[in-house]
Amino acid sequence: MRATAVACANIAFAKYWGKADPWLNIPAVPSISLTLRGLETVTTVELNPALECDEITIDGELLSPPESKRAVELLDAVRACAQSRCFAKVLSRNNFPKASGLASSASGFAALSVAARAAYGLPFDPVESSRLARRGSASAARSLFGGYVELPQGLPGDDSLAARPLYPPEHWELRLVVAIVCEQPKKMGSRPAMEQTRASSPYYAAWLEHAPKLAQRIREAIAKRDIEALGHASEASFQAMHAAAWAAEPSIFYLEPASVEALHTIRSMREKEGIPVFATMDAGPQVKAICLPEHAEAIAQRLSNTKGVLRVLITQPGPAASLIESPS
Ligand code: DP6
């Protein structure tokens, strides 16, 4: 029994940061993202009765037991559902660098959840796969769907939480220009960083109160295809998330000098040249510019000429996760 699935990365406009339930990995705030065409993980899951444990290989590297823990937990959940005891070999490939600051965990857990269910004989079900992926990494729940996607906030104990599609990719031809400023692995993963923010930041409570309001503005802006409204609310979301993390003790600070330069480039194009372009950032130093297709090339050019920017990618709305090979 063997199945292969593909899923794309996503970038959030309304950021998920903080958990209502750390055991079930349930977000404390709603998040809204865009799935990105071409930034893909392809994952094959093959059942093998001769194996004594799951074997997980990502981009040619066999993961150690601690590294494979979350993927094995996902496989355990699928096995429980399928009433199987058979271990699996998992081969996963990203077509974008792991350390490029584009979350490969989102596309990775999304592709794994689709391929694993199919390999264990369960029917294709994006909502079920989104739930499964959420436990692995909550941002991955959104990569099950194409285009504009929401993962609502959840309640402790509510393991049914899954993402839902808001609009297909064709709804709005936005572009996200990614300025890569550092290719080293990030300083601190999202999971421990969220926990440190919750445990010690005086601004965490303010973030929890404010984030749903920003998500509402972002939902409305996407519905109306209003770039100004989307851009201002998205900047506010990432800045409030970073501010809460920055105020933690010890402080969590993801910006590199080149990130600050890139943020200035974006602001100056907007304020001095009147181009509707807005920034967002995740738990890392890369800067992503949100813009319309007609401005993407000029923005990419300016970002690639910005001090410290290593390279630039132009991305666009992408499709839902899918099966590319199912067991015959
Ligand atoms: C800043 O989904 O990586 O990218 O659920 O603990 O695995 P876990 O966290 P993860 O966090 C992503 C955080 C973010 C914002 C976002 O994508 O919404």
Side-chain angles (χ1 to χ4, degrees):
M1 296 290 266
R2 193 171 101 137
T4 302
V6 59
C8 297
N10 72 75
I11 288 179
F13 300 119
K15 301 295 176 191
Y16 145 56
W17 197 253
K19 297 174 199 287
D21 182 332
W23 294 277
L24 294 174
N25 206 33
I26 295 176
V29 297
S31 58
I32 300 176
S33 61
L34 181 63
T35 300
L36 302 175
R37 177 175 297 281
L39 301 173
E40 295 172 351
T41 303
V42 174
T43 299
T44 300
V45 176
E46 184 164 18
L47 273 54
N48 184 342
L51 289 178
E52 286 176 6
C53 63
D54 296 311
E55 262 183 39
I56 316 224
T57 304
I58 301 183
D59 292 332
E61 272 180 45
L62 181 67
L63 300 192
S64 65
E67 287 167 336
S68 54
K69 186 172 171 276
R70 289 203 234 169
V72 169
E73 282 167 4
L74 191 156
L75 292 167
D76 283 340
V78 174
R79 278 189 283 266
C81 217
Q83 299 184 326
S84 165
R85 285 161 174 260
C86 189
F87 291 110
K89 199 173 202 146
V90 175
L91 279 178
S92 189
R93 278 211 171 274
N94 296 305
N95 73 352
F96 54 100
K98 222 168 145 187
S100 68
L102 297 157
S104 57
S105 64
S107 49
F109 280 108
L112 178 63
S113 66
V114 172
R117 280 182 55 90
Y120 282 93
L122 298 171
F124 180 66
D125 181 340
V127 174
E128 263 316 311
S129 290
S130 175
R131 280 181 196 138
L132 267 176
R134 187 208 77 233
R135 287 194 225 136
S137 200
S139 55
R142 302 186 305 240
S143 275
L144 266 296
F145 302 101
Y148 299 81
V149 183
E150 171 156 13
L151 177 62
Q153 72 191 80
L155 293 171
D158 179 11
D159 199 19
S160 68
L161 188 76
R164 56 174 181 237
L166 293 176
Y167 299 98
E170 323 69 84
H171 169 72
W172 191 11
E173 273 297 339
L174 279 183
R175 295 290 179 268
L176 279 161
V177 181
V178 183
I180 295 169
V181 304
C182 170
E183 309 215 56
Q184 312 305 317
K186 59 182 159 195
K187 292 178 199 147
M188 189 182 213
S190 313
R191 190 160 291 195
M194 279 181 209
E195 173 49 24
Q196 196 161 304
T197 308
R198 184 202 63 75
S200 65
S201 173
Y203 302 151
Y204 184 63
W207 160 253
L208 292 185
E209 202 209 312
H210 194 50
K213 297 177 199 156
L214 293 172
Q216 179 55 22
R217 281 168 56 190
I218 287 168
R219 224 177 271 124
E220 285 169 15
I222 295 172
K224 290 192 248 159
R225 301 185 189 90
D226 181 340
I227 182 82
E228 293 282 334
L230 174 71
H232 286 294
S234 299
E235 284 204 347
S237 178
F238 101 79
Q239 280 160 339
M241 174 207 128
H242 277 251
W246 196 1
E249 281 189 52
S251 171
I252 301 156
F253 186 65
Y254 286 113
L255 276 75
E256 292 291 331
S259 320
V260 178
E261 296 280 348
L263 292 174
H264 279 295
T265 299
I266 291 170
R267 184 170 283 206
S268 135
M269 288 188 90
R270 180 166 82 235
E271 290 180 354
K272 302 211 175 99
E273 295 161 50
I275 296 172
V277 54
F278 300 86
T280 187
M281 294 180 71
D282 292 299
Q286 327 305 350
V287 174
K288 293 117 186 183
I290 304 164
C291 64
L292 298 170
E294 57 268 37
H295 300 126
E297 284 295 341
I299 292 162
Q301 192 63 41
R302 287 284 288 282
L303 283 171
S304 53
N305 291 334
T306 295
K307 193 171 163 213
V309 172
L310 304 174
R311 50 199 185 90
V312 166
L313 290 174
I314 300 180
T315 65
Q316 61 189 74
S322 61
L323 263 176
I324 48 183
E325 180 203 13
S326 3
S328 42

